[in-house]
Amino acid sequence: IFDALMAGVGLILLSPVLLAVALAIKVSAPRSPALYAQRRMGRFGQPFVMHKFRTMLVTAEQEGPAWSPIDDKRVTRIGRFLRRYRLDELPQLVNVLKGEMSLVGPRPERPELVAELEKTIPWYRERENVLPGLTGWAQIRYPYGANLEDARRKLEFDLYYIKHLSLAFDLRVLLRTLRIVLLGLERTAP
């Protein structure tokens, strides 16, 4: 109920921001879509379609799914700004409203990457025992991940979150996320 209420309020209050971001993306690349839909793994391994503002070139994944390093050349100029302030994630409030995601939880990953990660990282799929989140403990505690070791470290934070799951913990994560978004802070490894 808290997630749905906050997502609904967020969509209403942030509608001018959502419109401005969509327009900025369209102005920068008129023939490209502003939104991007991608299959992700949800709770109990159920796939769903997650929505984001497009931050990469349309041709970014012609070679298939791949992690995006910090200095990824596929990221557009407007995309760098959107990623810095996490504005590209705002359309996921619709996923929260639909019950596919929570405000806080482990970030959902693509099925292709999950298949690879579960082969090398024990208990990787344990993170799917809760709804994936728009933000999460791993996202505020660890820098942007772009390799297997980063996925391992983020899993530690995800499992810690699941073990200590509570409304108070969620509020703590949301407040720290808000600080990161408002100040455009980069996360650093603890």
Side-chain angles (χ1 to χ4, degrees):
I1 293 171
F2 176 77
D3 282 341
L5 180 65
M6 294 306 292
V9 170
L11 283 168
I12 292 167
L13 294 178
L14 295 170
S15 58
V17 175
L18 292 162
L19 182 60
V21 170
L23 286 172
I25 294 169
K26 286 304 282 180
V27 166
S28 69
R31 293 192 175 125
S32 299
L35 287 173
Y36 177 68
Q38 190 176 65
R39 279 185 39 156
R40 297 287 179 114
M41 297 299 279
R43 188 172 188 193
F44 304 130
Q46 294 298 311
F48 71 100
V49 176
M50 186 178 83
H51 306 284
K52 295 177 75 166
F53 281 120
R54 189 178 56 77
T55 60
M56 291 187 168
L57 301 170
V58 174
T59 58
E61 291 197 328
Q62 284 180 332
E63 305 295 318
W67 275 306
S68 176
I70 290 174
D71 60 346
D72 196 333
K73 304 294 184 230
R74 302 172 300 167
V75 177
T76 64
R77 187 178 308 148
I78 187 96
R80 280 189 235 306
F81 176 82
L82 296 177
R83 285 179 171 207
R84 178 178 181 114
Y85 291 95
R86 309 334 184 251
L87 296 173
D88 58 319
E89 310 289 353
L90 289 178
Q92 291 164 41
L93 288 170
V94 173
N95 293 108
V96 174
L97 201 56
K98 290 168 60 178
E100 297 166 330
M101 292 178 68
S102 179
L103 291 174
V104 180
R107 288 293 294 157
E109 192 52 84
R110 289 175 283 182
E112 302 87 353
L113 294 178
V114 169
E116 290 302 313
L117 292 170
E118 73 175 327
K119 290 177 188 174
T120 55
I121 302 175
W123 304 291
Y124 186 79
R125 301 228 33 190
E126 291 298 311
R127 58 198 302 282
E128 294 173 1
N129 287 328
V130 296
L131 279 173
L134 182 62
T135 185
W137 186 238
Q139 282 61 50
I140 64 170
R141 297 288 297 159
Y142 195 80
Y144 193 80
N147 58 47
L148 184 61
E149 184 54 34
D150 290 339
R152 239 185 219 107
R153 290 283 303 164
K154 283 194 166 201
L155 176 63
E156 293 173 17
F157 288 106
D158 288 337
L159 296 177
Y160 179 90
Y161 167 78
I162 292 168
K163 182 177 179 181
H164 298 91
L165 186 66
S166 70
L167 182 58
F169 196 4
D170 281 3
L171 290 173
R172 180 177 170 196
V173 171
L174 287 170
L175 289 173
R176 290 186 70 184
T177 299
L178 190 60
R179 181 174 169 257
I180 289 168
V181 169
L182 292 176
L183 299 177
L185 298 174
E186 294 297 323
R187 294 158 299 212
T188 57

